[in-house]
């Protein structure tokens, strides 16, 4: 068979896998938005069935035959080409997935689907004991999976690679260590600063219906395309792609706080823009049509949420609109005071609502706990108390309830262990990419002031989105910025910004 034909066959197979994947995403989206509670058991079975089907397709020995053939062909001659990248990344996934027995894949899907429902209830009731048996099951399953993949150093490496291909705990740790040191210094300066923003401005009454209208207007200005997406409400906000032309986002509204849904919507819309910007139709189901890594994904959401959404230029344009919409709460407020309030730095319990400066401490905490859960140094039964004691050490505040502690995030119930470091990687990439965008695009902030966001969006599309998974994250980062990943751009950006707000 010619390599061209074999490549076509591989593409057909991966399109089918992507169709199954999109079906699973749709079932998952429905589960978290509109499914009645009573649907939980059958939904778990449906998702497990599809996961098993996907696993069978991915691990079909025919995929291995096609890969071996293509690896000998001219198709991969130029290692940088899209085709070679597709073969390289599929080989990587195939190599991992054939090590997993199908029943383990189905069991993981079933347990994590049920556990997510249990987590919602446990969080509502602030009841760690009710969640503990599920955490035990999930840690045991993830360890089984890590062992099946095989690992060096520690089991966490095997799981991290699922979300950030090629990344290792050692590399991540090296970058995080510098960040941790500089963050401590920055937070110290903020704590001792002469000026303090008045955060009460964003904690007034903000009608949920109006928040929704304003959030949709902002997402629309970013370029999130509502003809190819939609915005719904969930406990834990997310972005999911059902297939080319259908990328959905969710948010949660707090009638007493403007920040949560607004920046949450911008965050998820940033993810959405990445998904909408990949050439997913041309490379349907192929790595080149999908995200490079979750770290790169998160860099897109965080850039729109923070570098754009929490910039003064952005609000020079949007604040008069916000004042008209939320007249009672913002009518008498000055732009500078509002800008201070949305950027207020204050240690708080909930990661997704954290300010930019303390956010990464939340990730460092989870990263340490997860590694310890997998090595066995930390028992799931002790996860809540260990969380609380470390949290007090890092943030200087006592956790008041488990819903504000280890039950706040969906990840552990969803089996997403190994995922958290990608959030901090995303913050680091976002700052490094944005520093480059400012160099490449003249007067970027002036454009924001005029409500022009398409130059940035097109820059991101050109430099990052359209490549999909063609390049590994570290390679892409270097291509875009000319430098390896560093914590410096993030620290420089935050020091300048908070220095102005806090007067140090
Ligand atoms: Co995100």
């Amino acid at each position: 068979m010619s390599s061209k034909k074999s490549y076509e066959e591989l593409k057909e197979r991966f399109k089918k896998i992507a169709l199954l994947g999109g079906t699973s995403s749709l079932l998952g989206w429905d589960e978290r938005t509109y499914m009645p509670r009573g649907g939980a058991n059958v939904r778990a079975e449906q998702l497990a069935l599809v996961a098993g089907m996907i696993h069978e397709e991915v691990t079909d020995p025919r995929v291995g035959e096609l890969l071996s053939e293509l690896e000998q062909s001219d198709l991969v001659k130029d290692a940088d080409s899209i085709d070679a990248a597709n073969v390289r990344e599929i080989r990587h996934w195939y190599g991992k997935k054939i090590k997993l027995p199908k029943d383990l894949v189905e069991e993981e899907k079933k347990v994590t689907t049920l556990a997510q429902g249990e987590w919602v209830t446990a969080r509502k009731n602030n009841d760690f004991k009710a969640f503990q048996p599920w955490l035990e099951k999930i840690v045991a399953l993830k360890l089984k999976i890590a062992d099946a993949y095989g690992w060096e150093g520690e089991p966490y490496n095997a799981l991290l690679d699922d979300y950030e291909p090629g990344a290792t705990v050692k590399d991540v740790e090296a970058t995080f260590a510098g960040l941790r040191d500089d963050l401590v210094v920055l937070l110290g300066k903020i704590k001792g600063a002469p000026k303090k923003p008045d955060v009460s401005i964003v904690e007034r009454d903000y009608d949920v219906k109006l928040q929704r209208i304003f959030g949709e207007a902002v997402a629309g200005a970013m370029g999130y395309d509502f003809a190819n997406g939609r915005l719904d409400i969930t406990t834990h906000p997310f972005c999911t792609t059902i297939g080319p032309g259908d990328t959905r986002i969710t948010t949660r509204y707090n009638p007493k706080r403007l920040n949560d849904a607004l920046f949450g919507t911008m965050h998820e819309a940033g993810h959405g823009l990445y998904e909408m910007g990949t050439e997913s139709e041309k490379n349907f189901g192929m790595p080149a049509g999908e995200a490079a890594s979750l770290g790169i994904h998160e860099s897109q959401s965080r850039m729109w949420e923070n570098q754009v959404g929490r910039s003064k230029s952005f609000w020079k344009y949007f604040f008069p609109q916000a004042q008209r919409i939320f007249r009672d709460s913002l009518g008498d407020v000055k732009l500078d005071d509002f800008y201070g309030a949305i950027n207020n730095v204050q240690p708080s319990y909930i990661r997704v609502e954290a300010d930019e400066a303390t956010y990464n401490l939340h990730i460092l905490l989870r990263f340490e706990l997860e590694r310890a859960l997998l090595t066995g140094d930390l028992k799931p039964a002790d996860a809540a108390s260990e969380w609380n004691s470390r949290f007090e050490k890092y943030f200087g505040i006592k956790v008041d309830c488990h819903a504000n502690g280890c039950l706040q995030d969906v990840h552990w119930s969803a089996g997403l262990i190994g995922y958290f470091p990608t959030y901090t990687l995303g913050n680091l990439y976002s700052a490094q990419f944005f520093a480059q965008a400012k160099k490449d695009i003249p007067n970027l902030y002036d454009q924001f002031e005029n409500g022009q966001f398409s130059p940035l969006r097109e820059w991101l599309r050109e430099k990052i989105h359209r490549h999909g998974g063609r390049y590994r994250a570290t390679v892409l980062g270097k291509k875009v910025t000319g430098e390896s990943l560093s914590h410096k751009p993030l620290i420089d950006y935050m020091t300048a910004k908070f220095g102005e707000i806090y007067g140090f």
Side-chain angles (χ1 to χ4, degrees), residues 263-276:
F263 294 113
T265 301
M266 288 191 78
H267 179 101
E268 299 308 333
H271 280 306
L273 287 180
Y274 185 19
E275 295 276 316
M276 288 168 168

Side-chain angles (χ1 to χ4, degrees), residues 237 267-268 271 294 297-298 301-302 305 351 359 419 423:
H267 179 101
E268 299 308 333
H271 280 306
L294 288 187
H297 225 310
E298 191 70 5
S301 55
R302 293 294 277 178
E305 177 190 359
R351 173 186 61 87
Y359 184 94
Y419 186 117
Y423 287 120

Side-chain angles (χ1 to χ4, degrees), residues 140-151:
L141 275 169
K142 296 310 283 192
L143 204 52
K144 250 191 194 173
I145 290 169
D147 286 342
Y149 282 154
W151 45 268

Side-chain angles (χ1 to χ4, degrees), residues 9-235:
E9 187 184 337
L10 189 72
K11 277 169 114 172
E12 273 310 304
R13 284 178 170 270
F14 275 78
K15 181 175 175 180
K16 185 175 171 191
I17 291 164
L19 289 170
L20 287 168
T23 306
S24 171
S25 298
L26 182 58
L27 288 169
W29 173 84
D30 174 72
E31 190 219 342
R32 290 157 77 178
T33 49
Y34 298 111
M35 186 190 78
R37 190 87 183 92
N41 286 322
V42 74
R43 183 56 43 89
E45 288 197 40
Q46 289 166 335
L47 281 163
L49 176 68
V50 180
M53 289 163 80
I54 291 172
H55 188 69
E56 256 176 12
E57 290 289 337
V58 175
T59 57
D60 190 314
R62 181 70 188 141
V63 173
E65 287 169 22
L66 291 168
L67 286 171
S68 300
E69 202 188 313
L70 293 169
E71 282 159 352
Q72 305 301 319
S73 76
D74 284 352
L75 193 81
V76 300
K77 231 180 181 171
D78 172 8
D80 243 7
S81 71
I82 290 179
D83 298 336
N86 283 333
V87 171
R88 178 192 71 222
E89 292 306 314
I90 290 175
R91 166 63 77 187
H92 181 71
W93 290 118
Y94 177 75
K96 285 187 85 168
K97 297 303 169 192
I98 51 170
K99 293 177 180 162
L100 297 183
K102 187 181 165 203
D103 57 359
L104 182 57
V105 174
E106 288 176 344
E107 195 190 349
E108 192 211 2
K109 198 72 189 176
K110 198 167 166 184
V111 168
T112 55
T113 303
L114 291 172
Q116 284 178 71
E118 298 295 327
W119 163 73
V120 172
T121 312
R123 181 172 174 268
K124 206 182 288 158
N125 299 336
N126 190 27
D127 185 357
F128 176 71
K129 280 270 167 272
F131 183 62
Q132 186 190 313
W134 293 95
L135 184 59
E136 280 164 1
K137 274 183 217 174
I138 286 165
V139 169
L141 275 169
K142 296 310 283 192
L143 204 52
K144 250 191 194 173
I145 290 169
D147 286 342
Y149 282 154
W151 45 268
E152 277 171 41
E154 57 183 293
Y156 202 83
N157 277 320
L159 303 179
L160 175 61
D161 182 88
D162 268 354
Y163 310 108
E164 198 67 20
T168 63
V169 168
K170 211 171 135 215
D171 292 343
V172 169
E173 262 279 284
T175 315
F176 284 13
L179 176 67
R180 191 183 295 124
D181 292 346
D182 286 356
L183 269 182
V184 171
V185 174
L186 177 67
L187 289 168
K189 282 184 190 164
I190 292 173
K191 210 173 168 188
K195 289 203 300 197
K196 302 275 176 212
D198 174 11
V199 73
S200 73
I201 293 165
V202 288
E203 290 170 348
R204 295 174 178 171
D205 288 323
Y206 289 97
D207 183 89
V208 166
K209 266 199 230 90
L210 296 178
Q211 282 195 51
R212 181 174 183 133
I213 291 167
F214 187 61
E216 287 188 354
V218 168
M222 288 166 56
Y224 179 81
D225 180 0
F226 283 92
N228 291 307
R230 51 178 294 133
L231 175 63
D232 293 273
I233 298 172
T234 44
T235 309

Side-chain angles (χ1 to χ4, degrees), residues 458-501:
E458 291 312 313
W459 184 88
L460 292 170
R461 189 158 283 181
E462 166 71 20
K463 300 275 178 181
I464 297 164
H465 301 174
R466 72 183 172 96
H467 296 304
R470 180 174 176 183
Y471 308 111
R472 286 268 171 103
T474 48
V475 177
L476 181 67
K478 222 170 182 168
K479 270 191 186 293
V480 177
T481 69
E483 310 268 351
S484 300
L485 183 65
S486 153
H487 69 284
K488 288 280 183 237
L490 181 64
I491 289 292
D492 290 347
Y493 153 78
M494 289 201 290
T495 305
K497 176 179 188 169
F498 294 116
E500 189 214 325
I501 294 171

